[in-house]
Amino acid sequence: MLYDFFKTVAFKMDAEKAHELSIKALSSFPRTMAEAFGGDLQDKEKYQVDLNTMSWSFPVGLAAGLDKNAKAIDFFARIPFGAIEVGTVTPVGQVGNPKPRLFRYLKEESLRNCMGFNNDGAGRVLKNILSSERLGKVLGVNLGKNKDTSAENAHLDYLSLFKTFKDNCDYLVINVSSPNTPGLRDLQRHESMREIFESLEEERETCSTPLFIKISPDLPLDSLEGIVDLAREFRLSGIIATNTTIMEERGSGGISGKLLSKKGKIVRDRLLELMADYPDLDLIGVGGISCFDDVWDFWKKGGKACQIYSSFIFQGPDVLFEIKSGIDKKLKETGYKNVKELLKNIKDCK
Ligand SMILES: Cc1cc2nc3c(=O)[nH]c(=O)nc-3n(C[C@H](O)[C@H](O)[C@H](O)COP(=O)(O)O)c2cc1C
C-alpha cells in the first residue's frame, strides 16, 4: 500500500530524479523508512541460504547499480534483503553518460539504462561503507573500470579496486558486462578475463574475500563453458548472471526487468547445467526475477541465491514479502522447517 502511494508520486518524475530523491530519503531516514515498509524478518535462520563462501539471511539480495555509492546500506540492511551489492564503483569518480539515461516501461515492468558507471569513486564509496550499519547483512562490492582507462590497462583498475575493498566487504564482483562503458563487454573475451584474474592472483593470496564475475546475457551460449572453466581455473567463488541485455529496437543502453527474464533464464539454466559437476562454484541469479515462482524455478534448476533490481523499483519491498510468503507456503506444504532443508530436498518437491 505504502509503496503504491510512493510509486504514484515517484513515477510522475523523471526516472533518474526519482531515483536520486529516493536514495536521499532512504539514506537520511533509514530506520523510519525501513519500518514504514515492513522492516526485516524476525526468523532469519528459517530463510538462510548457505553458499560455499557466505550465508545470506534471505535468498534474495539487492543487485548492483541501485545503491552505486553505498549511501543507503543502513536502509537496505533493515528490510528482508539477504545481501546488498553496492557499486559499480570505479577507481576515480565519474559522471557517466549524458542524461536522460534511465527510462521506464511501465506495462512491461522493465527499465532501460545507459548510466555509464556514474559513481563517486572508490575513496568516497569506501568511506560510506565504513560508516554504514550492516546489521550482519552480507555486503558485496561490484567493481568496474573507468571509462578513460584503456582496455590494455583495465586489469590495473580492477587490481587497485580489489586492494581498496578486499578487507571491507563480504564479496567482490568483477563487472565486465555493462553495455554502457565502451569496450567493457570485450573484456569478457577469455584472454582479457584471464589477464584481469592473473593480475589479482598475488593480492588474492593475502585474503579470502570471495570473488565473482558478472556476465552479460548477450554472450553466445557456447561461450559459457569457457567462462565456467576460467572460474574454476582461477578459483572464483562463482558467477553472477546476468547483467542487462541490449535490445536495439528499444534504443541504446541495457534492458532489465520482465523484458530480460526469458534471456536471463536461458543463460542461467545453461550455467546451472554446466556448473552441476562443480559444487565449489556458486551461481547468483539475476535478471527478470520478480516473484516467488521465479525464485522457485531457479531453485528447482539447482540455484540458491538470487538478486533483484527492476522488480524492486516496480513493487518495492513488497516483492520481498511476496517471496517470503511463497517460501512459507512451500515449507508448510513440504513439512521442511527451513530453506536449507527445502533446498537439500528440492529434487523431491513439486
Ligand atoms: C538503472 C540501472 C543501473 C544498473 N547499474 C549497474 C551497475 O552499476 N553495475 C552492475 O553490475 N549492474 C548494474 N545494473 C544491472 C543490475 O544489477 C541487474 O543485473 C539487471 O538490472 C538485471 O536484473 P533485474 O532484471 O532484476 O533488474 C543496473 C541496472 C539498472 C536498471
Side-chain angles (χ1 to χ4, degrees):
M1 280 292 278
L2 174 66
Y3 194 75
D4 286 344
F5 169 73
F6 173 83
K7 216 168 102 175
T8 315
V9 179
F11 276 31
K12 286 204 170 78
M13 286 182 225
D14 161 74
E16 186 169 349
K17 193 80 215 156
H19 188 93
E20 279 168 16
L21 289 175
S22 306
I23 291 288
K24 204 163 193 178
L26 298 178
S27 57
S28 304
F29 309 104
R31 280 195 192 98
T32 319
M33 298 293 273
E35 272 165 33
F37 283 120
D40 204 354
L41 304 177
Q42 298 309 316
D43 194 354
K44 296 218 180 90
E45 258 183 36
K46 183 172 171 189
Y47 302 98
Q48 184 177 313
V49 285
D50 292 337
L51 303 184
N52 288 300
T53 47
M54 55 188 159
S55 292
W56 292 17
S57 58
F58 193 69
V60 183
L62 177 69
L66 206 151
D67 190 10
K68 285 181 189 278
N69 294 311
K71 285 186 171 163
I73 293 174
D74 293 22
F75 168 77
F76 291 114
R78 286 180 164 82
I79 60 171
F81 277 124
I84 303 155
E85 191 172 311
V86 298
T88 295
V89 54
T90 54
V92 181
Q94 57 181 30
V95 293
N97 293 325
K99 296 178 188 176
R101 53 191 182 178
L102 178 57
F103 310 90
R104 307 181 186 101
Y105 299 107
L106 296 187
K107 282 205 195 99
E108 288 146 319
E109 291 185 28
S110 299
L111 299 168
R112 175 166 64 85
N113 91 84
C114 17
M115 308 298 286
F117 289 169
N118 54 307
N119 77 105
D120 293 343
R124 290 279 288 279
V125 173
L126 178 63
K127 240 177 161 176
N128 291 343
I129 288 175
L130 293 177
S131 63
S132 68
E133 247 188 317
R134 290 189 228 163
L135 305 170
K137 292 280 171 91
V138 165
L139 180 76
V141 183
N142 182 302
L143 314 175
K145 78 166 191 74
N146 272 116
K147 184 179 177 187
D148 292 343
T149 303
S150 65
E152 297 73 55
N153 289 332
H155 64 283
L156 298 176
D157 274 12
Y158 289 104
L159 177 60
S160 99
L161 290 162
F162 188 95
K163 284 185 189 167
T164 304
F165 291 103
K166 64 173 186 172
D167 296 325
N168 300 297
C169 65
D170 301 302
Y171 71 95
L172 287 164
V173 184
I174 302 293
N175 182 3
V176 282
S177 49
S178 163
N180 301 315
T181 294
L184 190 86
R185 284 181 165 197
D186 294 342
L187 297 177
Q188 291 177 125
R189 280 200 300 259
H190 295 176
E191 324 82 74
S192 307
M193 282 197 282
R194 179 177 292 282
E195 185 172 24
I196 294 170
F197 292 127
E198 273 169 359
S199 77
L200 298 179
E201 282 286 65
E202 207 179 305
E203 230 9 78
R204 285 182 68 202
E205 273 167 26
T206 67
C207 65
S208 56
T209 315
L211 184 64
F212 288 80
I213 181 157
K214 184 166 178 181
I215 63 163
S216 154
D218 302 326
L219 286 170
L221 282 184
D222 61 12
S223 70
L224 297 179
E225 193 169 354
I227 292 181
V228 172
D229 288 345
L230 213 63
R232 292 182 56 222
E233 181 184 339
F234 286 96
R235 307 166 324 282
L236 301 193
S237 295
I239 299 172
I240 303 188
T242 68
N243 212 313
T244 54
T245 183
I246 291 175
M247 291 173 80
E248 266 156 23
E249 66 281 14
R250 301 258 172 179
S252 60
I255 300 277
S256 57
K258 289 193 174 167
L259 285 169
L260 163 65
S261 57
K262 194 169 161 199
K263 204 172 206 181
K265 207 163 106 55
I266 291 173
V267 171
R268 286 193 294 275
D269 289 355
R270 179 67 188 131
L271 281 169
L272 286 169
E273 270 171 23
L274 290 166
M275 289 161 77
D277 291 335
Y278 312 115
D280 291 354
L281 285 179
D282 282 312
L283 178 70
I284 297 178
V286 57
I289 292 170
S290 67
C291 60
F292 172 73
D293 288 348
D294 293 334
V295 176
W296 184 249
D297 178 75
F298 183 57
W299 282 356
K300 287 292 283 177
K301 307 260 174 54
K304 284 184 180 168
C306 51
Q307 297 176 321
I308 55 171
Y309 186 132
S310 303
S311 57
F312 191 77
I313 300 296
F314 289 96
Q315 300 177 50
D318 295 353
V319 62
L320 299 171
F321 290 101
E322 188 272 340
I323 292 168
K324 174 201 172 284
S325 300
I327 294 172
D328 289 342
K329 200 164 155 233
K330 280 287 174 198
L331 290 176
K332 207 166 169 198
E333 271 169 29
T334 56
Y336 296 121
K337 64 175 188 297
N338 55 36
V339 168
K340 263 189 270 180
E341 268 192 10
L342 186 66
L343 285 173
K344 216 179 277 166
N345 298 289
I346 193 90
K347 291 225 161 72
D348 306 327
C349 298
K350 270 194 284 165

